[in-house]
Amino acid sequence: MSAPVLSSTGVDASCGLSGSSGFQSEVLLRVNALRAAGAVCGTTIYAAAAPLNWNNVLQQAAADHSSDMAKNNYFSHDSLDGKTMGQRLLDAGYSFTAAGENIAANDSSVQGVVARWLDSPGHCQNMMNPAYRDIGVACAHSDLATYSTYWTMDLGRP
């Protein structure tokens, strides 16, 4: 396996994960399995929900946000320029009637980040929300930032 190619900012968009080309498929499979089974998120019980569809526009918005957090060493749903998740999705070209976002930092595997989101009621509710139809996920790695990895999952419905 070759070493990841880092940008001039030290950000690795493959997230430093082995088999990184398939990590997005693994997230989609895990989230759709969760949706098929139903879940309890905090005190809210969610019945099975329709599977999510991969959306390249959401994936690009997620990648841009993860890379921005890694490059600029911050962790927030709002970008340093003040843009919200909704503004970033619209700027990327995704018009939505419903949208949500999960972020995480310092998780080194898909299994770990999905488990952590599942353990958080708000993040779990985003993954189980039957209003959402589309998903895009990205992760960025930087040895120069506080956290080694920055994950973003964007969910939406046109």
Side-chain angles (χ1 to χ4, degrees):
M1 181 173 137
S2 61
V5 177
L6 300 179
S7 71
S8 61
T9 62
V11 174
D12 169 16
S14 71
C15 208
L17 299 170
S18 61
S20 61
S21 61
F23 83 86
Q24 293 157 329
S25 296
E26 185 181 346
V27 172
L28 181 63
L29 287 171
R30 287 181 181 274
V31 172
N32 279 339
L34 174 68
R35 289 172 68 90
V40 177
C41 302
T43 59
T44 305
I45 299 170
Y46 282 87
L52 296 168
N53 299 301
W54 188 259
N55 184 284
N56 288 327
V57 175
L58 288 179
Q59 186 276 327
Q60 187 59 56
D64 290 347
H65 189 55
S66 288
S67 293
D68 188 50
M69 288 190 293
K71 174 184 168 188
N72 294 299
N73 194 25
Y74 72 98
F75 182 70
S76 175
H77 288 284
D78 292 339
S79 302
L80 292 181
D81 62 5
K83 288 187 179 181
T84 65
M85 175 267 309
Q87 290 167 320
R88 289 191 309 272
L89 296 185
L90 291 171
D91 287 350
Y94 188 84
S95 297
F96 58 89
T97 58
E101 181 174 76
N102 289 349
I103 59 173
N106 235 23
D107 286 285
S108 60
S109 71
V110 170
Q111 181 179 355
V113 73
V114 173
R116 182 145 52 128
W117 283 330
L118 182 58
D119 287 341
S120 165
H123 294 104
C124 179
Q125 290 169 5
N126 274 343
M127 292 188 295
M128 290 303 299
N129 189 330
Y132 299 146
R133 296 289 183 250
D134 298 328
I135 185 173
V137 179
C139 182
H141 172 87
S142 175
D143 289 329
L144 304 175
T146 301
Y147 303 110
S148 59
T149 56
Y150 293 81
W151 295 83
T152 304
M153 172 188 286
D154 285 327
L155 305 133
R157 179 184 194 135

